[in-house]
């Protein structure tokens, strides 16, 4: 069966510091991968999605970036965090071909102070 | 553009009553509609989904209906229980320049009171 991991689970960072969040998927090959952000009490905002190694599409302009160095690894980064970057970051995967469900990872709760 | 509207934003019911959440989508080409339940501090979990070739799907106390002509779909929860309390998100699937993505509604906070 497929499993999706995210780490760290929680993170407290000062404004202006760098960020690296990691997501890995097990039990599947060539997945679509997604990064979402959820502000407190709000909905799900799609940040990035990837259909393969090195293929990243950005949904919204921001100071975040994403990379996919391996088939089942997706990384979210920032060089300098802003207060507004605080939130719940969720990674998700789906089967590459066809219309398929997205499954979410456990999430990383980020607080920027 | 791509948009999914979800209503109501909050819903309060008594245990045993039914709850209905409604969503509308903008792109008539959309063909897959999942519903997610998110408990406090947890990840969204898929609870039911429907594809555009059917009008209704049921799983125990949960059902989803789809009206393609009107471009809306609804979640129905019968005999609600306190453990149904959560935020529910609807979503619609879109093809976008070769990429597949889900567009989510803003969510409905359901409270079931004993």
């Amino acid at each position: 069966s497929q499993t999706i991991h995210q780490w760290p689970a929680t993170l407290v960072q000062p404004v202006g510091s760098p960020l690296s969040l990691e997501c890995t998927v097990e039990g599947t090959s060539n997945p679509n991968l997604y990064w979402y952000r959820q502000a407190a009490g709000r909905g799900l905002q799609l940040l990035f999605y990837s259909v393969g190694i090195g293929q990243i599409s950005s949904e919204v302009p921001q100071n975040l970036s994403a990379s996919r160095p391996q088939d089942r690894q997706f990384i979210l980064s920032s060089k300098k965090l802003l207060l507004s970057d605080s939130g719940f970051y969720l990674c998700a995967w789906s089967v590459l071909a066809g219309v398929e469900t997205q499954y979410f990872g456990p999430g990383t709760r980020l607080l920027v102070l | 553009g791509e948009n999914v509207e979800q209503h109501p934003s909050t819903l309060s019911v008594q245990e045993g009553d039914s709850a209905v959440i409604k969503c509308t989508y903008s792109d008539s080409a959309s063909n897959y509609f999942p519903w997610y339940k998110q408990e406090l501090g947890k990840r969204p979990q898929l609870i039911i989904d429907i594809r555009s070739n059917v009008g209704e799907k049921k799983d125990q106390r949960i059902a989803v209906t789809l009206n393609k002509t009107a471009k809306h779909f609804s979640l129905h929860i019968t005999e609600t229980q306190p453990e149904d309390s959560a935020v529910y998100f609807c979503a619609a699937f879109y093809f976008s320049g070769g990429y597949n993505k889900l567009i989510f509604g803003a969510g409905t906070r359901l409270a079931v009171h004993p």
Side-chain angles (χ1 to χ4, degrees):
Chain A
S1 64
Q2 299 84 10
T3 309
I4 181 168
H5 304 279
Q6 285 187 246
W7 64 89
T10 60
L11 191 60
V12 180
Q13 292 285 98
V15 169
S17 64
L19 174 73
S20 181
L21 303 181
E22 190 163 344
C23 170
T24 59
V25 181
E26 296 177 355
T28 187
S29 297
N30 302 316
N32 282 333
L33 295 172
Y34 308 84
W35 278 113
Y36 290 87
R37 176 169 58 202
Q38 187 175 34
R42 304 297 295 275
L44 297 160
Q45 180 187 30
L46 179 62
L47 301 175
F48 300 96
Y49 51 98
S50 171
V51 299
I53 295 173
Q55 301 180 64
I56 310 293
S57 178
S58 175
E59 279 293 290
V60 293
Q62 59 208 318
N63 70 321
L64 299 172
S65 63
S67 63
R68 185 168 176 176
Q70 301 180 44
D71 180 46
R72 288 170 286 180
Q73 183 185 31
F74 204 22
I75 297 171
L76 183 69
S77 303
S78 174
K79 293 182 179 178
K80 288 186 177 182
L81 283 168
L82 306 173
L83 287 174
S84 57
D85 291 324
S86 295
F88 192 37
Y89 287 83
L90 291 155
C91 180
W93 75 274
S94 68
V95 174
L96 180 60
V99 180
E100 294 293 341
T101 304
Q102 288 184 21
Y103 298 95
F104 288 89
T108 294
R109 196 163 301 280
L110 172 66
L111 179 61
V112 183
L113 300 175
Chain B
E2 309 142 356
N3 187 46
V4 175
E5 294 190 1
Q6 183 172 347
H7 300 281
S9 57
T10 60
L11 181 59
S12 182
V13 300
Q14 290 297 123
E15 183 176 2
D17 288 350
S18 295
V20 180
I21 302 170
K22 299 182 179 181
C23 291
T24 59
Y25 59 99
S26 57
D27 190 344
S28 57
S30 189
N31 59 359
Y32 174 64
F33 309 91
W35 285 88
Y36 290 84
K37 174 184 180 182
Q38 186 178 29
E39 297 177 348
L40 190 62
K42 303 279 185 68
R43 76 183 88 182
Q45 299 265 29
L46 178 75
I47 56 172
I48 195 167
D49 56 12
I50 190 167
R51 297 180 187 269
S52 57
N53 58 342
V54 298
E56 185 174 358
K57 183 176 179 181
K58 190 173 182 180
D59 182 4
Q60 299 182 14
R61 297 187 296 109
I62 294 174
V64 57
T65 58
L66 172 65
N67 183 327
K68 287 186 62 179
T69 302
K71 291 190 285 187
H72 68 70
F73 56 113
S74 301
L75 178 71
H76 304 253
I77 306 174
T78 59
E79 301 173 29
T80 54
Q81 301 168 3
E83 51 264 39
D84 293 329
S85 296
V87 179
Y88 292 81
F89 292 98
C90 63
F93 184 91
Y94 286 92
F95 295 100
S96 174
Y99 292 88
N100 305 333
K101 58 181 181 179
L102 287 176
I103 304 298
F104 285 86
T108 296
R109 186 173 301 276
L110 173 65
V112 180
H113 302 285

